[in-house]
Amino acid sequence: MGLASSAAATASGPSSLVGQVAAVSNTQASAAPLFAQEVDRSKAFVSMMMDAGVIVPTPKDPGGGYTHEQHKQNYKAIYLGGQLFQLTGEQKYADYVRELLLAYATLYPTLGEHPARKNSQGSGRIFWQVLNDAMWMVHSIQGYQAIRSSLSKADRKDIDDNLFRKAAAFLSTGSAVTFSKIHNHATWATAGVGMTGYVLGDRELVDIALLGLDKSGETGFLRQSELLFSPDGYYTEGPYYQRFALKPFVVFAGAIEKNDPARQIFEHRDGILLKALRTTIQLTYDGYFFPFNDAIRDKSLNTDELYHGVAIAYRKTRDPALLSIANWQGRTVLSDDGKLVAADLAAGKAVPFPFQSLLLSDGPDGDQGAVAILRKGDSTSGQALVAKNSSQGMGHGHFDKLSWQYYDNGHEIVSDYGAARFLNIEAKQGGRYLPENESWAKQTIAHNTLVVDEKSHLDGDAKAADKIAPEQLYFSDEAGSQISSAKMSGAYPGVEFTRTLALLELDGLSQPLVADIMRVEGEGRHQYDMPLHYNGHIMRVGFDIQSNVAGRPILGSDNGYQHIWVDAKGKPSDAEKAFVTWIKDDRFYTSRWIPQAGSEAILAESGANDPNFNLRREPMIIQRIKAERGVVFASVLEAHGRYDGAAERTTASDSQIKSIRHERSGGSDLLLIETLAGAKSLLAISYNSDPEKTHTASIGGTQVSWRGFATHIKLTEAAQ
C-alpha cells in the first residue's frame, strides 16, 4: 500500500512517515536490481532475527557489549520488518515486529538510569547514553507506523502508552538538557519525539520537537537547522558528525513534509537540508570523510545515514549526480525513495557527481571561519588539499586552527589523527572516547599547525575556543593556481599567525605541488613548533641526524608532547638539504622547507606513554625554532616518481625541485620555486584584499608585479 494511503491514518491517527515503501512486483524488482538487492538483504537479516526469537534483554552493557548490540539489532529489525510488511504484505513480518514492541512495552516502564551510564553525558534507559535511545526511537517508530494499522486496539494502546509515549516523555522533558541543546544528540532526540507525535496523532509532541520544550523556537529541530549549519551547508562539528546528524535531519524533514506540507521544510532557510547533503558528499576523498575533530577515520559514504540522505534528496531534486553516489555506495534504502533511486540508476540516468574546489563558510551566519578544499583531478586518485580554517566545533572540536590535510593517489598523505576511540568495541572502554582523545588527539601538536611554547591553542579550553574563529582572508580556485589564506588571532597571547596554502601546477612536474607559508607575528621570546604528520615510510633524509637507536626519549611532558617518541634530530643548514622523502603505495613524496638560523628538525612518532595501546603509531616531522619575534615557516610538498613492485622498477624517486627561496618584500611574502629542469615559479602574497591594487616586489634580482591578494607567476618554463 502507498505511503499516504496507509490505513493507519484512519485507524488511529493521522500520520505517515517518510521511511515507508509501497508493494513492488517482480518485474519492478528486476528493473531496479539495487532495490531488489536491498529487499533480499533485509529479508535475510529479519529472517535471522526471527529465527533467534524475541530477545529483549534488561540493559546492562556499555557500547559494544551484548545488551547494547542486541538492542541495536532489535531496532534495525523493527524498522526493516515494518518495511517488509508493507512491501510484501506477509503477516509474519508484522507479527514479529508486534512481538518485539510488546516485549519493549513490558520492559520499558521498569527501566531507570542505565547501569553503564557515564556521569558526563545524559544517561539513557535502553542504552548507556540518551543519544542511543533517541536513535532507537527514530528507527522503531518508523517500523511501528508501518504495522500499526494491522494491530488490535489493545495492542496499539499497550505499545502507544507503555512504550512510545513513555519513551517520548523521557527523551523530551525527562532529558530536558539534551533535548534543548543545539547539538547532534538533540537532533536525534527531537526527530524521534516529533515522528512519534505524528504517528500517535499527538500535536504536543510534534510542537515541542519542532520548537523546543517552551515552544519559543529558541531550541528544537527548526532552530538546530538554523544554528548548526552554515549558509553553505557545513555542519559546525565537522564532516563525521555532519554525516551522523544528517539522517535525523532528513528523515524527520520527510515526515514533516508529508504531515505539515505548508511548512515547506525542504525550502526552509534557502533549502539548507538539501544543501547540507551535497556539502557532506563534497567533504570526502575516495568516499571517506575528511577526519576533522572527533572523527572515526573509517567512516565513508557507505553509511546508513547517507543511504537515506541520498535517497530522500534524490526524490526531492531528481539530481542525476546523486545517482552516481548511490552507485558508488552500492546500496539504497527500503522505501519508495530507495526504489526510485534504484529504478533511475538502472535506467542509466546517473551522471558523475561534481566534486570540486570550493570554500565552505562556517557558523550560522557564515562568519566563523571556513573550510577550503582545493582539488585537481577526480575524487578517487586526484589531489585534494584541505585547509581547516573553521570554528572550534563545540565539544567535539580539536585545537587545530589553520591545520591542513593532503590527499593524492587514493591516499591521505598529510594526515589528521581524528579521534582516539574504538567505536562500540567493548574492550576499549565500552567504545567510548579514550583518555588519549583529550591528552593526544585534541591537542594542537597532533595536528598540522603551529604550536607555541608546547601549549595547545586557547590553552586547550573548549569554552574559550568556541568564542573565536579564524578569519578566511582569501580563496581562489583558478586552475593551476589554487590558493587559500586565513588568519588566526587569540590562540596564544601576543601571537597572531597567517597561513597561505596553495595547490600549484609547475611546468615539468607530473603532479601539482603544495606550497605553504605560515607567517607568525609574536611578542617576546617563544618556542615555535610546526609539525607535519605524514603517511608513509622514509626513503631519504637530506640533512645529518642523530638517531636514538638504543632508546627513544619523549619530547615533552604535557599537551600531547608526552605521547611523542623522538626518533632522531638534526639541524639542516640550508634549503637544499632541508627535506625528507617518503613513499606511500607507489608514489614518492618530498617535504622541503627553508630552515631558519638556530632551528632544528625532529623526526618522531606518536605512541609514547600509552600503556593500554590506545594510540596508533604514526610518524611526524617537527620544525622547531626559538625566536624573539615572529618567524616564517615556508615549505613545499612534492609528489614524484613511481615504484613498480611487479616490474621491480623505480623512476624519479628523488625530488625534482632544485631549490626554494623565501623573501619578505615590503608587506608581501614571496616563495620562489625552481625545478631541476629549470622552471621557475613564484607564489606572491600581498595580504591586500583589493583586487584592483597593483603590487610590486623583487626576489633574487627579479622584479614582479601582480594585482590583488595573491598570485602564482610562472617566471620560466622547464627546459625541453
Side-chain angles (χ1 to χ4, degrees):
M1 57 188 154
L3 207 56
S5 63
S6 169
T10 56
S12 58
S15 118
S16 55
L17 301 179
V18 72
Q20 294 184 332
V21 59
V24 60
S25 67
N26 290 334
T27 301
Q28 289 174 313
S30 63
L34 195 66
F35 188 75
Q37 292 166 17
E38 207 62 48
V39 172
D40 291 343
R41 185 180 292 110
S42 300
K43 285 182 175 179
F45 172 76
V46 175
S47 293
M48 176 193 72
M49 294 292 289
M50 291 169 65
D51 289 344
V54 174
I55 304 173
V56 181
T58 299
K60 179 182 67 173
D61 302 308
Y66 164 70
T67 62
H68 180 97
E69 293 303 314
Q70 182 63 44
H71 290 298
K72 281 177 58 181
Q73 294 286 81
N74 284 351
Y75 72 61
K76 181 180 176 182
I78 291 168
Y79 171 76
L80 291 177
Q83 306 315 303
L84 287 171
F85 172 63
Q86 288 213 323
L87 178 69
T88 67
E90 293 183 45
Q91 188 62 36
K92 65 180 181 180
Y93 296 119
D95 290 344
Y96 177 65
V97 173
R98 167 186 168 275
E99 291 172 10
L100 268 176
L101 291 173
L102 286 173
Y104 275 107
T106 299
L107 175 68
Y108 197 86
T110 71
L111 299 178
E113 287 192 330
H114 195 282
R117 64 188 177 275
K118 188 178 178 183
N119 291 335
S120 62
Q121 293 177 277
S123 169
R125 294 293 185 262
I126 301 173
F127 298 93
W128 70 275
Q129 63 172 341
V130 69
L131 168 64
N132 298 87
D133 278 45
M135 295 171 68
W136 184 96
M137 185 80 130
V138 168
H139 290 84
S140 296
I141 193 61
Q142 294 180 77
Y144 180 45
Q145 200 280 332
I147 71 155
R148 191 167 182 265
S149 63
S150 72
L151 302 182
S152 68
K153 185 176 180 180
D155 285 345
R156 279 201 304 271
K157 180 174 175 54
D158 188 5
I159 296 169
D160 285 0
D161 295 346
N162 290 316
L163 179 54
F164 285 107
R165 288 193 190 280
K166 282 183 166 56
F170 166 67
L171 287 177
S172 56
T173 56
S175 304
V177 172
T178 297
F179 194 78
S180 301
K181 285 181 176 180
I182 305 299
H183 191 271
N184 71 79
H185 289 204
T187 306
W188 281 95
T190 55
V193 170
M195 293 168 75
T196 297
Y198 282 133
V199 169
L200 302 186
D202 189 330
R203 192 70 216 183
E204 176 69 11
L205 292 179
V206 172
D207 288 344
I208 64 173
L210 292 174
L211 303 172
L213 291 174
D214 61 2
K215 302 180 189 176
S216 68
E218 292 300 309
T219 61
F221 182 81
L222 295 177
R223 191 60 171 158
Q224 290 175 52
S225 71
E226 294 162 357
L227 295 181
L228 287 174
F229 294 105
S230 78
D232 295 319
Y234 178 76
Y235 184 78
T236 191
E237 293 182 279
Y240 174 82
Y241 277 96
Q242 177 152 344
R243 173 272 323 168
F244 180 64
L246 197 63
K247 182 172 181 178
F249 269 117
V250 297
V251 171
F252 188 26
I256 295 168
E257 181 184 48
K258 289 182 176 295
N259 292 278
D260 286 328
R263 283 194 177 274
Q264 295 186 304
I265 187 64
F266 283 107
E267 286 71 47
H268 181 63
R269 200 185 163 208
D270 193 30
I272 192 64
L273 295 182
L274 296 176
K275 191 180 295 184
L277 182 279
R278 291 188 175 93
T279 294
T280 305
I281 297 171
Q282 290 283 1
L283 289 163
T284 63
Y285 179 85
D286 195 23
Y288 286 83
F289 295 106
F290 302 141
F292 298 169
N293 299 333
D294 280 345
I296 306 300
R297 295 173 53 83
D298 58 4
K299 283 295 183 183
S300 71
L301 294 171
N302 268 327
T303 183
D304 184 63
E305 295 85 1
L306 267 297
Y307 304 149
H308 283 268
V310 167
I312 292 170
Y314 182 71
R315 171 178 60 84
K316 285 295 299 178
T317 65
R318 297 299 199 274
D319 178 0
L322 294 175
L323 295 177
S324 69
I325 300 301
N327 187 57
W328 185 92
Q329 293 170 322
R331 293 288 304 272
T332 188
V333 291
L334 208 61
S335 69
D336 282 338
D337 298 340
K339 190 192 307 181
L340 176 65
V341 165
D344 285 0
L345 185 59
K349 296 182 180 181
V351 301
F353 188 86
F355 288 98
Q356 62 193 82
S357 298
L358 75 169
L359 183 69
L360 299 170
S361 63
D362 193 7
D365 298 317
D367 58 358
Q368 296 178 21
V371 171
I373 305 172
L374 310 178
R375 293 188 190 267
K376 172 70 166 56
D378 62 43
S379 67
T380 300
S381 61
Q383 293 77 40
L385 169 60
V386 185
K388 185 176 183 284
N389 306 326
S390 54
S391 68
Q392 180 67 15
M394 302 192 294
H396 287 297
H398 289 192
F399 299 96
D400 60 347
K401 307 304 183 190
L402 310 195
S403 185
W404 67 293
Q405 297 154 46
Y406 187 61
Y407 297 80
D408 175 56
N409 199 30
H411 300 286
E412 185 182 26
I413 304 303
V414 174
S415 58
D416 188 284
Y417 191 89
R421 184 185 190 186
F422 294 82
L423 185 63
N424 282 341
I425 296 180
E426 187 177 14
K428 291 297 185 181
Q429 296 199 11
R432 300 182 178 111
Y433 288 104
L434 297 164
E436 289 78 9
N437 198 56
E438 299 294 325
S439 63
W440 169 251
K442 285 189 175 185
Q443 301 296 329
T444 304
I445 190 62
H447 302 85
N448 302 299
T449 190
L450 178 73
V451 188
V452 179
D453 298 329
E454 297 191 14
K455 295 182 179 179
S456 286
H457 296 171
L458 283 303
D459 210 18
D461 185 335
K463 290 184 178 179
D466 272 333
K467 296 176 182 178
I468 61 174
E471 178 185 359
Q472 183 74 31
L473 301 174
Y474 179 75
F475 175 80
S476 172
D477 60 356
E478 179 183 348
S481 305
Q482 301 184 63
I483 304 170
S484 168
S485 188
K487 178 174 67 176
M488 183 63 200
S489 303
Y492 298 103
V495 176
E496 179 179 276
F497 50 103
T498 302
R499 185 171 221 165
T500 301
L501 288 158
L503 189 62
L504 308 176
E505 295 180 45
L506 273 63
D507 292 328
L509 297 188
S510 59
Q511 309 297 335
L513 181 106
V514 177
D516 176 16
I517 297 178
M518 171 77 89
R519 171 159 288 280
V520 186
E521 307 289 347
E523 300 174 0
R525 185 171 180 81
H526 294 286
Q527 174 183 290
Y528 299 109
D529 287 345
M530 180 64 74
L532 181 75
H533 298 265
Y534 64 93
N535 187 8
H537 191 98
I538 288 179
M539 295 288 103
R540 192 188 300 278
V541 178
F543 50 94
D544 293 335
I545 57 175
Q546 292 184 332
S547 296
N548 298 311
V549 294
R552 295 192 288 182
I554 295 171
L555 189 57
S557 60
D558 205 356
N559 303 317
Y561 282 77
Q562 74 275 23
H563 291 302
I564 298 175
W565 277 312
V566 178
D567 290 314
K569 288 185 178 182
K571 294 184 177 181
S573 57
D574 59 67
E576 288 188 9
K577 296 181 178 180
F579 71 85
V580 174
T581 298
W582 66 87
I583 189 171
K584 178 60 183 175
D585 196 9
D586 60 354
R587 188 166 290 173
F588 298 91
Y589 298 89
T590 296
S591 175
R592 182 184 298 275
W593 63 93
I594 298 174
Q596 299 160 78
S599 67
E600 68 175 341
I602 303 167
L603 306 183
E605 186 180 53
S606 61
N609 281 309
D610 180 25
N612 296 314
F613 304 98
N614 287 336
L615 291 176
R616 299 189 302 273
R617 277 50 173 160
E618 296 183 347
M620 69 194 82
I621 306 164
I622 302 172
Q623 297 179 57
R624 169 171 287 183
I625 185 170
K626 295 178 181 179
E628 292 291 341
R629 293 180 292 277
V631 297
V632 175
F633 293 94
S635 64
V636 297
L637 176 66
E638 171 198 3
H640 54 90
R642 184 169 186 265
Y643 172 68
D644 186 338
E648 299 181 356
R649 185 182 180 206
T650 301
T651 56
S653 61
D654 286 330
S655 169
Q656 302 302 295
I657 300 297
K658 178 181 179 181
S659 66
I660 61 174
R661 178 175 179 176
H662 170 266
E663 287 188 16
R664 182 80 163 168
S665 180
S668 300
D669 275 311
L670 306 174
L671 181 65
L672 180 65
I673 307 163
E674 183 177 0
T675 70
L676 292 175
K680 292 183 179 181
S681 283
L682 180 71
L683 175 63
I685 311 160
S686 72
Y687 303 103
N688 189 303
S689 59
D690 184 352
E692 300 303 319
K693 184 173 177 58
T694 299
H695 310 278
T696 60
S698 65
I699 183 169
T702 301
Q703 286 283 124
V704 293
S705 64
W706 72 97
R707 280 202 248 177
F709 189 98
T711 191
H712 171 218
I713 305 169
K714 294 184 179 181
L715 301 177
T716 63
E717 294 184 358
Q720 298 298 314

